[in-house]
């Protein structure tokens, strides 16, 4: 009994030694797996790996900087062009309404100072609006009636004079050194008659289209008159409602740009009316004293065409010269041309800079391009509104740029020792924003 525990003790001691030796061998095997054998070559460095295994750069970083800038600008220009194209399509679909509203804005800019003047003398807004609108529309109606009456009164006389002028031209051609024969002149007249007879259908359809144009013109006149009444009477509330459609972050800038744009438009319309009136009076007097028939209707046409910059003056002046040529002869036509050129030179170099001022000064290239683009898009109406639109846009963009710079400087940290006046931006002088004028449509 006493020898059994001793045997068990030796067996346990032997098992303990065997476990220790197994642990040592396991540790040695693990160390052999971690350390590579001496004859195995070391792994190659990272720069010795093949190109396919190297990490690829970001594609955006691989594109040259200039190409990235061009691509960024390109897709933005595409979005802008698409937006403008859609806007032009929408305007073309409702062209009559847009032109009528723009005409109402121009008429309102002309008549609104009269409403403000009556309001300063205590006249109620409704009565002031009614008096101004009635007087304005009556004056425009009388001008239209007077022109029509003058044309109808002188049409027979002008027709006879035109026939006499054609006969004189024919006699001059027969006796001229160009060796034109009577048979050649008769052949030209016969060809003209055949051309008119062959295009009778086109002429008839053009007449029908003319009737449609007259109906559309009457509709546009009614829309313009209706819009003018509401703009004169309730322009301020219309502007406040329009401001609510602008996002709140941009509303202060738009609220400041609106009155300046309106003053620019008012200055443009006033100046254009004064310049056109001076042109019509002096050119009309010149051709009247030269004995050109229908001098008064031609003066009215000169006044109306003056609202189309550059092109209108050329067309109206050429019309007066042609009438003088076919009715009074070459000498009277040359004298009429001299009168037209003299008045237009005075207008371009003295009247427009003095009356319009810097507020609505637009570069001649911008005038030509805007008139051409407006005429291509919307005909005569587009040519009339093109230049005031460019002038107003120029004013709005200039103000918003100055406003943005001012807000940026206000938000930037002020240098130590500097005052607000030291970092305030220098805003360019804008005559349209400083001269007395209405701050809104109301």
């Amino acid at each position: 009994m006493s020898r059994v525990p001793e045997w068990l003790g030796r067996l346990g001691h032997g098992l303990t030694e065997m476990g220790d030796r197994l642990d040592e061998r396991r540790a040695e095997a693990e160390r052999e797996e971690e350390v590579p054998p001496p004859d195995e070559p070391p792994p190659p460095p990272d720069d010795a790996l093949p190109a396919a295994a190297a990490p690829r750069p970001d594609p955006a970083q691989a594109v040259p900087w200039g190409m990235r800038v061009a691509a960024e600008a390109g897709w933005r220009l595409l979005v802008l062009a698409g937006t403008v194209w859609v806007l032009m399509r929408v305007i073309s679909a409702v062209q009559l309404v847009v032109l009528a509203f723009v005409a109402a804005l121009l008429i309102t800019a002309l008549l609104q100072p009269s409403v403000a003047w009556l309001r300063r003398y205590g006249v109620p807004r409704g009565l002031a609006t009614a008096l101004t609108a009635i007087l304005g529309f009556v004056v425009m109606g009388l001008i239209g009636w007077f022109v029509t009456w003058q044309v109808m009164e002188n049409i027979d006389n002008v027709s006879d004079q035109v026939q006499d002028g054609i006969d004189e031209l024919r006699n001059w051609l027969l006796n001229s050194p160009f060796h034109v024969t009577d048979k050649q002149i008769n052949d030209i007249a016969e060809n003209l008659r055949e051309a008119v007879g062959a295009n009778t259908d086109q002429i008839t359809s053009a007449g029908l289209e003319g009737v449609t144009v007259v109906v559309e013109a009457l509709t546009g006149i009614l829309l313009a008159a209706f819009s003018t009444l509401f703009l004169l009477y309730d322009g301020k509330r219309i502007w406040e409602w329009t401001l609510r459609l602008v996002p709140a972050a941009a509303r202060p800038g738009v609220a400041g740009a609106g009155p300046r744009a309106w003053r620019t438009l008012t200055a443009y319309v006033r100046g254009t009316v004064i310049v056109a009136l001076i042109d019509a009076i002096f050119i009309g007097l010149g051709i009247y004293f030269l004995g050109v028939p229908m001098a008064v209707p031609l003066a009215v046409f000169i006044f109306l065409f003056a609202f189309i910059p550059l092109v209108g003056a050329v067309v109206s002046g050429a019309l007066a010269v042609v009438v003088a040529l076919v009715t009074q002869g070459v000498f009277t036509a040359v004298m009429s041309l001299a009168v037209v050129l003299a008045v237009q030179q005075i207008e371009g170099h003295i009247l427009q800079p003095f009356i319009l001022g810097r507020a609505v000064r637009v570069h001649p290239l911008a005038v030509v391009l805007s008139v051409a683009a407006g005429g291509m898009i919307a005909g005569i109406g587009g040519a009339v509104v093109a230049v005031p639109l460019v002038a107003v846009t120029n004013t709005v963009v200039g103000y918003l740029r100055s406003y943005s710079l001012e807000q940026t400087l206000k938000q930037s940290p002020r240098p130590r020792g500097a005052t607000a006046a030291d970092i305030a931006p220098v805003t360019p002088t804008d005559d349209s924003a400083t001269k007395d004028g209405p701050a809104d449509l109301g």
Side-chain angles (χ1 to χ4, degrees):
M1 296 290 296
S2 62
R3 299 177 64 181
V4 174
E6 184 178 355
W7 175 77
L8 292 173
R10 287 196 299 273
L11 179 59
H13 181 68
L15 293 174
T16 302
E17 291 179 353
M18 185 179 296
D20 293 339
R21 286 195 295 273
L22 290 175
D23 293 337
E24 293 176 358
R25 291 180 179 178
R26 187 180 298 110
E28 291 177 358
E30 291 177 356
R31 285 195 296 271
E32 290 176 356
E33 292 178 358
E34 294 177 357
V35 179
D39 55 352
E40 184 176 347
D46 294 339
D47 55 358
L49 292 176
R56 295 183 177 180
D58 185 6
Q61 300 298 329
V63 179
W65 173 255
M67 188 176 294
R68 292 172 62 185
V69 172
E72 291 285 340
W75 73 261
R76 286 175 171 83
L77 288 176
L78 287 176
V79 172
L80 181 61
T83 304
V84 173
W85 183 82
V86 172
L87 182 61
M88 290 296 101
R89 297 289 293 180
V90 172
I91 292 177
S92 299
V94 291
Q95 178 177 338
L96 180 62
V97 177
V98 173
L99 289 179
F101 183 74
V102 173
L105 281 176
L106 296 176
I107 297 173
T108 304
L110 179 63
L111 299 180
Q112 195 273 339
S114 300
V115 177
W117 181 76
L118 292 174
R119 290 281 293 157
R120 284 195 295 269
Y121 283 92
V123 180
R125 177 177 295 275
L127 182 59
T129 301
L131 291 176
T132 303
I134 292 173
L135 181 61
F137 291 142
V138 166
V139 170
M140 288 185 285
L142 288 176
I143 291 175
W145 169 81
F146 183 74
V147 171
T148 304
W149 173 63
Q150 285 289 312
V151 171
M152 297 302 296
E153 285 289 325
N154 294 276
I155 190 66
D156 295 334
N157 186 26
V158 171
S159 298
D160 295 338
Q161 291 181 344
V162 168
Q163 185 62 44
D164 294 339
I166 293 174
D167 294 337
E168 292 179 3
L169 179 62
R170 178 173 181 171
N171 295 330
W172 181 81
L173 288 174
L174 291 174
N175 299 321
S176 68
F178 298 107
H179 304 289
V180 179
T181 62
D182 195 12
K183 182 177 181 303
Q184 291 175 333
I185 296 176
N186 293 332
D187 291 340
I188 294 175
E190 184 65 25
N191 292 331
L192 290 175
R193 282 193 293 269
E194 292 178 356
V196 172
N199 295 280
T200 304
D201 296 336
Q202 289 80 357
I203 296 174
T204 304
S205 62
L208 295 176
E209 291 178 359
V211 175
T212 305
V213 169
V214 170
V215 173
E216 291 182 353
L218 292 176
T219 305
I221 291 173
L222 292 176
L223 286 174
F226 190 75
S227 302
T228 301
L229 288 175
F230 276 96
L231 289 174
L232 286 173
Y233 178 74
D234 218 10
K236 184 176 181 180
R237 283 195 290 182
I238 293 174
W239 170 243
E240 292 174 351
W241 176 84
T242 305
L243 279 180
R244 288 198 291 268
L245 302 178
V246 180
R251 196 171 298 166
V254 176
R260 287 166 174 79
W262 180 249
R263 282 191 286 268
T264 298
L265 183 62
T266 304
Y268 175 84
V269 175
R270 286 184 192 171
T272 303
V273 169
I274 294 174
V275 171
L277 188 61
I278 293 174
D279 284 354
I281 290 175
F282 283 97
I283 294 178
L285 288 175
I287 61 178
Y288 174 77
F289 287 115
L290 288 173
V292 179
M294 294 197 304
V296 176
L298 287 174
V300 174
F301 280 117
I302 291 171
F303 173 80
L304 296 177
F305 275 89
F307 286 90
I308 306 177
L310 298 181
V311 180
V314 174
V315 173
S316 60
L319 179 62
V321 173
V322 169
V323 172
L325 176 63
V326 298
T327 57
Q328 300 296 322
V330 178
F331 177 76
T332 304
V334 172
M335 296 302 297
S336 300
L337 179 62
V339 171
V340 170
L341 292 178
V343 173
Q344 289 180 356
Q345 289 299 315
I346 295 174
E347 169 207 335
H349 294 87
I350 298 177
L351 295 180
Q352 284 192 355
F354 178 74
I355 296 176
L356 295 180
R358 292 182 301 160
V360 292
R361 182 176 296 175
V362 182
H363 195 276
L365 179 60
V367 173
V368 173
L369 295 179
S370 60
V371 170
M376 294 174 62
I377 294 173
I380 297 178
V384 171
V385 304
V387 176
L389 179 61
V390 171
V392 169
T393 303
N394 183 37
T395 300
V396 171
V397 171
Y399 172 78
L400 291 179
R401 183 169 57 247
S402 301
Y403 177 81
S404 177
L405 178 60
E406 182 179 358
Q407 296 301 313
T408 302
L409 293 177
K410 284 183 179 180
Q411 295 174 2
S412 62
R414 183 183 302 178
R416 180 176 299 178
T419 62
D422 297 331
I423 62 174
V426 178
T427 305
T429 304
D430 185 3
D431 294 346
S432 65
T434 56
K435 66 173 62 176
D436 294 334
D440 49 53
L441 296 179

